[in-house]
Amino acid sequence: MKPAVLALLAPLASPLPALAAGSAVGQGLNLTAIGMFAVFVLATLVITRWAARRNNSVEDHYAAGGKITAMQNGWAIAGDYMSAASLLGISALVFTSGYDGLIYSIGFLASWPIILFLIAEPLRNLGRYTLADVVSYRLQRKPIRTFSASSSIVIVLLYLVSQMVGAGKLVELLFGLSYTTAVVLVGLLMMVYVFFGGMLATTWIQIIKAGLLLTGAAFMAFMVMQRFGFSLNALFTQAVQTHQLGDAIMRPGGLVSDPVSAVSLGMALIFGTAGLPHILMRFFTVGNVQAARKSILYATGIVGLSYALIIVIGFGTIALVASDPLYQGSQGGIIGGVNMVAVHLAHAVGGNLFLGFICAVAFSTILAVVAGLTLAGSSAVSHDLYVNVLRRGTATEREELWVSRAATVGLGVLAIVLGILFEHQTIAFIVSLTFSIAASSNFPVLLLSIYWRGLTTRGAVIGGSLGLASAVALTVLSPTVWVKVLGHATPVYPYEYPALFSMLIAFAGIWLFSVTDRSQRARNEQRAYAGQLVVSELGLKAAAAARTA
């Protein structure tokens, strides 16, 4: 029976509830993991205190003063992007489906050339702190910022729900705390990082997390290869002999069987990344366009190396975990479910010490991601909605900074509440919805605002809203929600992924409502494209110098 593949997209929404179920590798508290967890939290609090002394302005809070180097930003982007689902979730997909389990890693990695060649340079040149800075450059400030900020906040909240559920389950497992107490603890840590340390603290937490995740994956892959004499052929041969599907795990077709679902999934993974506000925000932390481009190259290399290691880890779970009775439950399945296989593999190759390290890495992953998400959400509230919509650009820097911090507290409290409410809910569809909304609302508006002269405010707002609404509607009507969650016999929308159709609706809506806009405002916006193009290509400083001359 095909696994619930959407669950494996959730950054620890699915893997960690499985973790909480208990494991053959040790019941009760994991003292090693607790010790490593305590060291990581202490280190991040020291970093936050250090960063707080340098977090004195809006630019410091949103963009670390633009002083992050290209290499640092590349590591931070990788840390912000790679959730523990990259290690636990994709490994589980390979464990169940073999070759096809790598679809997710390829889709995630393929998004970076899109960002490098289409987005990074114009984004850095046209914007200051948020995605809305770019799309509102020549369009009407109030409607376009309201739409862009609202879409970004929806994406942030959806992502935070899955992160908070996973974090609560992990802390519950390690410390024996109640789930509610665990979620509150994680939420408080998240608020402290962003409230006091801003982007600088968030950046270094993400850098540390990326290093830990890459180190853990590299050690695990090395130990797997050592077991098989560093021969991939021996590893794959053992995996084929062990897996119940045999040779089929080395062929495509076991996970996504129809072309529409394959294309739709690919579009969500590739283009959704280019619309995630917490990822795009990172390009404002470097000093120039060259550093922004180099950041992408570094991030692509780090993410690509991690996913290459996951190939070995995934097939290693088949070869070493599937047939080991230590990891089998009383019913014959993997203890804790298939999402636990990478954790079991950590114990199989490195014992309790390495198991504790992987658990600590999983928690550091959550803190790094939720910090980036919270900062992106608070900046949308303060910079876009408060300063540029409500105050029409007249707010002082001090006001903006305090509104951002207040928004951080508000988002933190809301994330805690939602995390508690969704403890027992099936939330796999939320993560799919996150990528689909990003691909269907933020990405089309961002892309066309940069490259299409004919874009108008009416087209961007209506078309982007249609993309957002259709992504939500198709997800609810899909088999994932309509059948598995709501209990209907047959789905209204027969495919699991909506991006193929919701993106087409978004682009078509943007085009239609732009070309039919005959207002004077629309003509002014189209004429302003020439000036935007100069800034987009030359950069703000070059364009300002040209105007002065």
Side-chain angles (χ1 to χ4, degrees):
M1 183 175 180
K2 186 171 73 172
V5 294
L6 283 178
L8 302 173
L9 264 176
L12 295 187
S14 179
L16 289 179
L19 194 62
S23 167
V25 297
Q27 298 290 342
L29 300 180
N30 187 324
L31 296 179
T32 303
I34 292 173
M36 292 182 178
F37 160 80
V39 169
F40 175 80
V41 171
L42 180 61
T44 54
L45 290 176
V46 170
I47 290 171
T48 302
R49 183 180 179 184
W50 165 77
R53 297 173 180 173
R54 294 160 174 79
N55 188 28
N56 302 313
S57 67
V58 170
E59 186 176 14
D60 292 334
H61 192 70
Y62 293 151
K67 298 177 182 177
I68 304 300
T69 68
M71 178 171 287
Q72 291 169 351
N73 201 42
W75 277 95
I77 290 172
D80 205 4
Y81 184 66
M82 291 189 300
S83 69
S86 298
L87 177 63
L88 304 181
I90 297 176
S91 298
L93 281 173
V94 175
F95 180 84
T96 56
S97 303
Y99 176 90
D100 265 11
L102 302 175
I103 291 176
Y104 282 86
S105 60
I106 294 171
F108 287 140
L109 186 60
S111 63
W112 294 104
I114 300 295
I115 298 175
L116 174 62
F117 292 111
L118 294 180
I119 302 297
E121 184 170 342
L123 186 79
R124 180 62 184 79
N125 283 336
L126 293 172
R128 293 184 66 197
Y129 306 128
T130 68
L131 172 69
D133 286 338
V134 180
V135 298
S136 66
Y137 189 88
R138 63 185 172 94
L139 303 180
Q140 296 298 303
R141 175 185 296 174
K142 186 173 181 178
I144 196 66
R145 280 189 182 272
T146 301
F147 159 75
S148 181
S150 300
S151 177
S152 295
I153 291 170
V154 168
I155 291 169
V156 165
L157 285 176
L158 289 172
Y159 231 133
L160 276 175
V161 168
S162 60
Q163 295 289 340
M164 295 302 289
V165 172
K169 289 298 183 181
L170 179 59
V171 176
E172 182 183 34
L173 169 73
L174 296 180
F175 290 92
L177 300 174
S178 69
Y179 174 83
T180 300
T181 303
V183 169
V184 172
L185 173 63
V186 174
L188 290 176
L189 281 172
M190 172 184 75
M191 286 187 275
V192 168
Y193 295 149
V194 178
F195 187 97
F196 293 104
M199 179 58 84
L200 185 59
T202 300
T203 295
W204 280 102
I205 291 170
Q206 290 166 345
I207 290 172
I208 292 172
K209 169 258 172 157
L212 290 174
L213 185 62
L214 186 60
T215 300
F219 180 78
M220 195 184 303
F222 175 83
M223 295 301 292
V224 169
M225 293 303 298
Q226 183 187 48
R227 293 287 187 93
F228 295 94
F230 297 96
S231 170
L232 282 174
N233 183 62
L235 171 62
F236 294 152
T237 299
Q238 179 63 36
V240 168
Q241 292 174 352
T242 302
H243 203 282
Q244 60 182 358
L245 299 179
D247 291 340
I249 65 170
M250 305 304 294
R251 297 192 298 268
L255 188 60
V256 180
S257 56
D258 65 279
V260 173
S261 292
V263 173
S264 193
L265 172 60
M267 292 177 69
L269 298 180
I270 294 172
F271 298 110
T273 302
L276 294 176
H278 64 296
I279 298 297
L280 298 178
M281 192 177 182
R282 292 228 52 93
F283 296 110
F284 304 123
T285 64
V286 293
N288 51 55
V289 169
Q290 291 78 11
R293 287 198 296 261
K294 288 180 181 178
S295 298
I296 294 294
L297 293 176
Y298 287 127
T300 303
I302 296 165
V303 173
L305 176 58
S306 299
Y307 287 148
L309 294 172
I310 290 174
I311 297 175
V312 175
I313 293 170
F315 282 96
T317 62
I318 300 174
L320 298 176
V321 174
S323 59
D324 193 330
L326 180 63
Y327 309 112
Q328 310 295 319
S330 58
Q331 303 299 320
I334 297 296
I335 295 176
V338 295
N339 293 300
M340 276 291 292
V341 291
V343 176
H344 290 313
L345 182 65
H347 179 265
V349 300
N352 285 327
L353 181 63
F354 188 53
L355 172 65
F357 177 79
I358 289 298
C359 290
V361 167
F363 186 80
S364 71
T365 293
I366 295 172
L367 288 181
V369 174
V370 296
L373 287 167
T374 304
L375 188 57
S378 64
S379 65
V381 172
S382 58
H383 183 67
D384 296 327
L385 295 180
Y386 178 77
V387 173
N388 287 287
V389 175
L390 294 179
R391 294 295 303 275
R392 300 181 182 275
T394 62
T396 65
E397 185 171 292
R398 182 179 179 84
E399 273 185 274
E400 182 175 355
L401 190 58
W402 276 106
V403 170
S404 179
R405 285 172 169 162
T408 297
V409 175
L411 283 171
V413 171
L414 187 57
I416 290 171
V417 172
L418 292 175
I420 294 171
L421 292 177
F422 277 81
E423 177 186 3
H424 301 295
Q425 301 299 314
T426 303
I427 62 171
F429 76 95
I430 295 179
V431 181
S432 172
L433 183 58
T434 302
F435 275 81
S436 296
I437 288 176
S440 305
S441 59
N442 280 357
F443 174 71
V445 173
L446 175 62
L447 185 71
L448 294 181
S449 70
I450 295 173
Y451 292 106
W452 185 37
R453 183 188 304 271
L455 180 69
T456 68
T457 299
R458 189 180 80 163
V461 172
I462 297 178
S465 299
L466 287 173
L468 190 155
S470 61
V472 173
L474 292 178
T475 300
V476 171
L477 298 175
S478 70
T480 306
V481 179
W482 196 252
V483 176
K484 297 178 183 179
V485 177
L486 299 180
H488 296 282
T490 57
V492 178
Y493 171 69
Y495 307 107
E496 290 184 325
Y497 313 101
L500 173 60
F501 300 100
S502 57
M503 284 186 69
L504 289 175
I505 291 171
F507 277 108
I510 293 171
W511 173 82
L512 177 63
F513 288 101
S514 291
V515 298
T516 57
D517 190 350
R518 307 297 184 185
S519 65
Q520 182 61 46
R521 185 183 69 179
R523 289 193 289 270
N524 292 339
E525 291 167 352
Q526 291 163 349
R527 281 196 293 267
Y529 179 79
Q532 175 187 295
L533 184 61
V534 172
V535 177
S536 175
E537 294 296 326
L538 298 181
L540 292 173
K541 293 181 180 179
R547 288 195 299 270
T548 302

